[in-house]
Amino acid sequence: NAGVMQNPRHLVRRRGQEARLRCSPMKGHSHVYWYRQLPEEGLKFMVYLQKENIIDESGMPKERFSAEFPKEGPSILRIQQVVRGDSAAYFCASSPRQQGVTTEQYFGPGTRLTVT
Amino acid sequence: GESVGLHLPTLSVQEGDNSIINCAYSNSASDYFIWYKQESGKGPQFIIDIRSNMDKRQGQRVTVLLNKTVKHLSLQIAATQPGDSAVYFCAENKAGRRALTFGSGTRLQVQP
């Protein structure tokens, strides 16, 4: 049973370019979360999605950042016109659908974005 | 605002000793807590969780204690091994939300 998969594992972009990060949740999981981690810090929540729906985007910057989880295919975190401050590790997590009960989130290996 | 914080940034223990990692939280509405282990270059790995209606939960070599009166969470690792060396994060979840709020982490170093 494969875990959460993320690609690419490492991504280098020049300032002003676009970054696209992909996440495939664990089999059977329909909830996806994106977190950002700066060096030596904890993870910061960005967005929570279900298939074709953004449920909670309270942690997403208002500009340049967007996320989607289409009916088919992986979840995508998109960062437009990247700046050096976007350099971080971006982690995706998934959890199974479970009505009314919070369950553990399983994390992928992360994508390390470096903006030069 | 809500926050989850850790008392000690680095904890060094001898192999075979027990380790205790502490975490304080400020959001009394939190009803679910998780401990994660993160090794260098990897994603957080689930260790154990506990709901607010419990005081204690045990897993394999790990125990989580929850004191809601003082908003304190701890992770106890029995017979610590070199493979336990990592950064440990506590995370909490507020009722009605799925987003996890993470603490800043404690680095556990196991000395042989």
Side-chain angles (χ1 to χ4, degrees), chain B residues 9-60:
Chain B
T10 302
L11 177 65
S12 185
V13 301
Q14 291 293 124
E15 181 178 356
D17 287 351
N18 296 334
S19 302
I20 300 177
I21 301 172
N22 296 303
C23 178
Y25 65 95
S26 61
N27 192 339
S28 57
S30 298
D31 66 349
Y32 180 63
F33 303 88
I34 310 176
W35 281 100
Y36 284 96
K37 171 186 180 184
Q38 188 177 27
E39 296 174 285
S40 181
K42 297 184 179 180
Q45 176 187 355
F46 172 85
I47 301 173
I48 192 167
D49 59 0
I50 188 168
R51 300 192 186 275
S52 58
N53 61 353
M54 302 172 68
D55 297 324
K56 179 180 179 178
R57 190 161 187 225
Q58 288 184 291
Q60 188 176 13

Side-chain angles (χ1 to χ4, degrees), chain B residues 87-107:
Chain B
V87 177
Y88 289 80
F89 294 98
C90 66
E92 55 95 4
N93 175 268
K94 191 169 61 174
R97 289 196 72 205
R98 294 277 185 157
L100 292 174
T101 299
F102 280 78
S104 55
T106 292
R107 185 178 303 279

Side-chain angles (χ1 to χ4, degrees), chain A residues 96-111:
Chain A
R97 180 183 179 188
Q98 201 161 351
Q99 290 289 349
V101 178
T102 303
T103 62
E104 63 268 26
Q105 297 176 16
Y106 296 89
F107 283 83
T111 293

Side-chain angles (χ1 to χ4, degrees), chain A residues 7-8 11 13 16-23 34 36 46-47 49 54 57 60-69 74-83 86 90 111 113:
Chain A
N7 67 82
L11 182 61
R13 284 287 178 265
Q17 291 184 320
E18 178 180 289
R20 292 172 72 89
L21 288 63
R22 288 176 288 277
C23 169
W34 286 93
R36 177 164 62 178
M46 299 180 75
V47 62
L49 311 101
I54 297 175
E57 56 182 346
M60 286 280 271
K62 299 300 181 201
E63 297 177 347
R64 303 188 297 108
F65 285 72
S66 62
E68 63 177 7
F69 189 16
S75 175
I76 305 287
L77 179 67
R78 183 182 178 206
I79 311 172
Q80 294 178 289
Q81 299 173 343
V82 296
V83 300
D86 297 332
Y90 292 83
T111 293
L113 173 65

